[in-house]
Amino acid sequence: MHETTRAHTAPPGSGASGGAPPGAGAPRGDGDEDWLRRPRRPRGPGLAARLGGWSTRHRRTAVLGWLLFVVLAATLGGVTGVAEVTDSEGMSGDSARAQRILEDAGIEEPAGETVMVTGAGPEVWRPVAAEVAEAVEATGEAERTRRPVPSEDGRAALLEFRMKGSAETAGDRVQPVMDAVAKVREAHRGEGVTVRQYGQASADKWLGEMLDDDFAKAEWTAVPVALGILLVAFGALVAALLPVALAVTAFVAANGLLAVASHRLHIFDTTSSVMLLMGLAVGIDYCLFYLRRERDERAAGRDAETALRVAAATSGRAVLVSGLTVMVAMAGLFLSGLLMFKGFAVATILVVLIAMLGSVTILPALLSWLGDRVERGRLPFTGRGRRRRGGRRGGRQVGGQGRPGGRISAAVLRPVLAAPGIFAVLATAAMLALAAPTLGMKTEQLALDKQMPSGSPLRESAEAIGETFPGGPAPARIVLKTEDVDAPRVRAALAGFTERARADRHFGSAVTTAVHRSADVAEISVPLAGDGTDAASEAAVERLRDTLVPETLTPVSLHGQAYVSGDTAGSMDFDGQLRRGIVPVLLFITTVTFLLMLVSFRSLPVALASVVLNLLSVGAAFGVMTAVFQHGWGAEALGTEAVGAVESWMPLFVLVVLFGLSMDYHVFVVSRIREAHQRGAPTRAAIGEGVRATAGAVTGAAVIMVAVFAVFGTLSMQDMQQMGIGLAAAVLLDATLVRMVLLPAVMALLGERNWYLPRMLRGLPDLSHGTGAGAGAGAAGAAAGTGVAGAAGAAAEEPVLAPR
């Protein structure tokens, strides 16, 4: 009672905690030299506090409204269905233009399949190839079977044919063809003959099955793993279930809304997997931060209502700042110029927005309703009754204003704060060393065979066919649009192009042309030198684009519509657009992150440190991905393999995601540091208190994020593995080396300069929360207008979230 009275009679805006004099400690974080002479007016409760107050007063409405929203969103998404991208929308540059010509003309390229028969010579493979041709035609699913093309050494032949019907459904109809080829293979087993099949239809079949299996695996593995970690962190089943329930319902609702949005912005089939990953990560993190603060306040001896007010005013605000940062950072993907990233942006913004709103509305309502029942289902040997005992232990207060616990974090911090310069240099050197492989990073739009795990029969077939017949499985394709495809000059140009291509060392001899007279369009298939992804194949594409096509086909085209496409050309176009898009995206997210941190913390050094530390985390993540997936360092230990390159869309995606997600930890940690500083603690003491107070929550959140991302690292698709392992490594480094060592070391070096704000910037909006209206004589502390959460959590006062 004495402490509460002291808090309510503190001078308005003093920022004191428990009656601490306003002059105790460092100057105010806003940099105003006259703050001692000009006390601030009391501020009303912030947005997070008001939302939390409303939900606790109307918890039935909040809970039922949330459930109704989730059900309606999921139902609406199920009714509308998902609109996926067309082939041309998923491409870039000349590849997209070529595909658009075919789509506009209603020309659908049939799914192609290839079968390679290998034997001692033509007398061995020729009869087997004839059996294969007869078998696949007998299925009724194949057509346009071509004569076998012998290899240069005469020991193999390549048989090409097309699947009937739409290429989109060829994967569903290819099984009889694969069975027919397998039957011939078995019939000649032991005769020195090898029969291998690979093509668009068989690859699509594998891809569809793998996506279904991988998504189910991610969904049914990530959730139990997260729940298990939360059980260990909280020691109670009900408390552990709350973050998982919030994350899952947020994902379900966001997935439904994404289906509706997809009819305006078509999405890729991997977008839902990305949404699941992000939804689990941020949904659990936000809920964990909020719930952990509420439990800390209860452990400090506060009643349930007051603990909820403190959590709403502090962690609730941190959740809003972090969520806003993630959403704005993801919005930068719209500047990439690629539809894939626009879909990722929409999906992530939706799930983060819903998880963020759920954390500051439905969660306080549930906690208010549950009360002490949140401790139900307590695991044995986890400290039963810890919250009820609360208060002090052995003279040291647990939670609140006392010294936070955490022996491990204290052991790490002690030398860091004693020699911040040394540890800042060592941590920076370690991060730069991890980032060093990035300098040699090679990006590539991985072909489907590289997406498959090694040992897969389909991948082995693709690699064998590619080695024996370079460019065979993935030739370049030239699309020519003319006024009259039957005109003599056009015919002569096509013949001239074919002759020059066959005589050029950059290409194979199996050059074929398909003419679509009704649309005045011609398609030319040109085998490329190399394996389709190496320098030889890229040089062949460049020769087509720079020399052969401009000199022979462009003069007879309609308005210059003669474009080179195909897998290799498509990858080159995609990479080129990414390189052009990454600069504006990087500038956007660094600028926005800087401004958001500047406004949120009213500190120029803190905002600059946020950007620099994020860039270090991103660089380290890039280095890990390059080392593992390009060079193969540690790949086997991680259960993956090197493919010689990083998926081309991965660097940009990881950059944006990490810039957003790292704000979870940064905002949470710096918020607690500033709380302590605003209570009057010197900066170095505030750093120690803030880091120790958040160490448990940050560690738990990081372990969950790493576990969720690691689940994606175990999936079959190479790009999912790269995303999972890259993000897991980055989050692990960010939560440990960066937040536990580098951040406190840098802030300790800066000292009171951490809170510097130039005079010209003092007119920035103040997003800090304040005291509740009508709370009495301007309650200071937790509800005061400080940069983050005032002195919320100080045991010497009772912050007001809303009038009683």
Side-chain angles (χ1 to χ4, degrees):
M1 181 68 184
H2 170 69
E3 290 181 344
T4 302
T5 303
R6 181 171 58 183
H8 279 229
T9 57
S14 66
S17 173
R28 291 289 295 268
D30 57 9
D32 193 340
E33 298 173 357
D34 300 326
W35 70 274
L36 288 170
R37 296 189 295 272
R38 294 189 293 100
R40 287 184 177 180
R41 292 186 303 169
R43 293 169 54 85
L47 176 60
R50 293 196 299 271
L51 289 173
W54 178 90
S55 65
T56 55
R57 293 192 303 270
H58 306 87
R59 62 193 185 199
R60 183 186 298 271
T61 301
V63 173
L64 293 179
W66 175 263
L67 294 177
L68 180 62
F69 164 68
V70 172
V71 171
L72 287 177
T75 303
L76 189 60
V79 170
T80 59
V82 177
E84 296 186 353
V85 297
T86 63
D87 290 340
S88 62
E89 289 175 331
M91 300 176 181
S92 181
D94 281 359
S95 299
R97 298 181 186 98
Q99 185 61 34
R100 198 169 298 118
I101 290 175
L102 299 177
E103 291 176 354
D104 292 344
I107 301 171
E108 183 177 3
E109 182 70 13
E113 284 290 303
T114 58
V115 177
M116 184 177 72
V117 182
T118 306
E123 67 282 357
V124 176
W125 57 253
R126 186 171 287 120
V128 179
E131 288 184 41
V132 171
E134 183 179 353
V136 298
E137 289 178 354
T139 64
E141 296 290 349
E143 63 179 0
R144 294 168 59 183
T145 305
R146 295 173 182 169
R147 294 180 57 187
V149 178
S151 60
E152 290 185 1
D153 61 8
R155 297 171 59 86
L158 189 68
L159 186 71
E160 296 181 283
F161 57 91
R162 305 286 187 178
M163 293 292 297
K164 292 181 179 178
S166 172
E168 293 183 0
T169 61
D172 300 328
R173 296 178 284 102
V174 76
Q175 188 61 53
V177 177
M178 296 177 68
D179 292 340
V181 174
K183 187 175 180 179
V184 176
R185 182 187 304 117
E186 289 299 321
H188 294 277
R189 184 178 297 277
E191 299 179 4
V193 178
T194 303
V195 181
R196 300 182 182 275
Q197 179 180 358
Y198 180 78
Q200 180 183 342
S202 52
D204 284 350
K205 180 180 185 300
W206 177 89
L207 178 62
E209 292 174 350
M210 285 304 100
L211 285 176
D212 292 342
D213 292 345
D214 280 358
F215 187 78
K217 179 180 179 180
E219 185 175 359
W220 292 107
T221 304
V223 173
V225 166
L227 179 59
I229 296 171
L230 287 168
L231 274 172
V232 174
F234 287 121
L237 180 62
V238 174
L241 282 172
L242 284 179
V244 175
L246 175 68
V248 171
T249 53
F251 165 72
V252 170
N255 206 38
L257 296 181
L258 179 65
V260 177
S262 70
H263 292 273
R264 293 296 302 271
L265 183 73
H266 297 168
I267 63 171
F268 283 76
D269 48 13
T270 56
T271 306
S272 289
S273 296
V274 173
M275 176 184 276
L276 173 64
L277 183 150
M278 295 295 296
L280 287 177
V282 300
I284 291 176
D285 271 11
Y286 294 162
C287 191
L288 175 62
F289 292 158
Y290 203 107
L291 183 57
R292 188 63 178 261
R293 186 60 185 260
E294 187 269 346
R295 284 164 62 93
D296 285 349
E297 298 304 322
R298 292 300 306 278
R302 294 175 182 256
D303 61 81
E305 184 179 359
T306 303
L308 271 176
R309 292 176 190 159
V310 175
T314 56
S315 291
R317 180 183 179 276
V319 165
L320 289 180
V321 172
S322 177
L324 179 62
T325 305
V326 174
M327 289 188 290
V328 174
M330 293 304 297
L333 289 177
F334 286 106
L335 301 177
S336 67
L338 293 167
L339 188 62
M340 169 187 282
F341 290 106
K342 294 177 182 179
F344 286 169
V346 171
T348 305
I349 290 171
L350 281 174
V351 75
V352 171
L353 174 63
I354 295 172
M356 178 185 71
L357 293 179
S359 297
V360 296
T361 56
I362 181 65
L363 184 58
L366 288 173
L367 290 175
S368 174
W369 172 63
L370 287 171
D372 285 334
R373 287 174 294 180
V374 76
E375 296 287 338
R376 293 281 179 86
R378 176 160 290 281
L379 300 179
F381 311 113
T382 56
R384 178 182 296 274
R386 177 178 56 187
R387 255 177 42 154
R388 292 186 179 88
R389 289 198 298 270
R392 300 176 182 270
R393 294 180 185 170
R396 178 177 295 184
Q397 187 168 318
V398 179
Q401 191 178 358
R403 291 176 61 184
R407 286 177 292 180
I408 297 177
S409 59
V412 173
L413 273 177
R414 193 176 298 113
V416 170
L417 295 180
I422 295 175
F423 280 90
V425 171
L426 291 177
T428 302
M431 295 295 286
L432 291 176
L434 289 171
T438 306
L439 298 175
M441 177 187 285
K442 175 188 176 184
T443 59
E444 176 187 309
Q445 193 172 19
L446 298 177
L448 196 53
D449 60 295
K450 285 192 175 182
Q451 294 279 13
M452 302 174 183
S454 62
S456 166
L458 208 56
R459 177 171 175 176
E460 291 180 348
S461 296
E463 291 173 347
I465 294 173
E467 291 174 1
T468 309
F469 295 91
R477 184 174 62 174
I478 296 92
V479 176
L480 170 68
K481 174 69 175 176
T482 71
E483 292 183 352
D484 182 5
V485 75
D486 285 325
R489 60 192 298 264
V490 175
R491 289 289 189 178
L494 291 172
F497 173 85
T498 301
E499 183 179 354
R500 290 186 60 177
R502 286 175 175 171
D504 196 309
R505 62 179 179 83
H506 289 88
F507 316 108
S509 60
V511 180
T512 59
T513 302
V515 176
H516 306 280
R517 290 180 174 82
S518 60
D520 288 317
V521 171
E523 290 182 87
I524 309 170
S525 176
V526 183
L528 302 175
D531 61 6
T533 61
D534 58 10
S537 297
E538 292 181 358
V541 171
E542 293 294 345
R543 179 156 178 79
L544 284 173
R545 287 178 166 174
D546 297 340
T547 306
L548 265 66
V549 171
E551 292 179 359
T552 59
L553 299 180
T554 301
V556 299
S557 66
L558 178 64
H559 308 307
Q561 296 183 79
Y563 304 114
V564 180
S565 65
D567 291 348
T568 305
S571 178
M572 293 169 64
D573 291 337
F574 196 86
D575 281 350
Q577 180 59 46
L578 279 175
R579 293 190 185 96
R580 292 189 295 272
I582 197 168
V583 173
V585 172
L586 179 60
L587 291 176
F588 175 83
I589 62 175
T590 52
T591 301
V592 167
T593 299
F594 172 79
L595 292 176
L596 284 173
M597 293 300 100
L598 185 64
V599 172
S600 298
F601 293 106
R602 299 184 65 79
S603 164
L604 183 61
V606 168
L608 288 172
S610 302
V611 173
V612 174
L613 294 179
N614 281 351
L615 288 174
L616 281 175
S617 296
V618 170
F622 285 0
V624 170
M625 288 191 299
T626 304
V628 174
F629 296 103
Q630 183 173 322
H631 302 301
W633 302 342
E636 186 175 354
L638 293 172
T640 184
E641 59 186 318
V643 290
V646 174
E647 171 65 46
S648 55
W649 58 268
M650 201 61 61
L652 181 57
F653 177 76
V654 170
L655 165 71
V656 177
V657 170
L658 286 183
F659 249 87
L661 292 183
S662 62
M663 286 299 101
D664 284 356
Y665 308 131
H666 190 80
V667 170
F668 197 57
V669 175
V670 177
S671 295
R672 292 295 287 265
I673 292 173
R674 194 157 194 246
E675 281 184 37
H677 183 264
Q678 291 293 83
R679 288 200 303 269
T683 295
R684 188 164 296 198
I687 294 170
E689 179 179 337
V691 173
R692 289 194 301 269
T694 56
V698 168
T699 300
V703 170
I704 292 171
M705 257 195 195
V706 170
V708 170
F709 292 151
V711 168
F712 280 77
T714 65
L715 302 184
S716 302
M717 296 288 289
Q718 174 72 198
D719 54 2
M720 291 293 104
Q721 292 178 14
Q722 293 189 9
M723 179 174 66
I725 292 176
L727 289 176
V731 169
L732 181 62
L733 291 168
D734 191 82
T736 53
L737 192 58
V738 173
R739 304 302 158 194
M740 293 293 293
V741 178
L742 194 52
L743 174 64
V746 170
M747 293 190 73
L749 288 173
L750 289 172
E752 300 306 321
R753 292 186 294 272
N754 279 295
W755 319 114
Y756 169 72
L757 187 70
R759 186 175 299 275
M760 68 178 66
L761 298 178
R762 292 174 192 170
L764 289 172
D766 189 351
L767 301 184
S768 58
H769 65 270
T771 56
T786 66
V788 165
E797 60 184 337
E798 176 179 316
V800 180
L801 192 148
R804 291 179 181 271

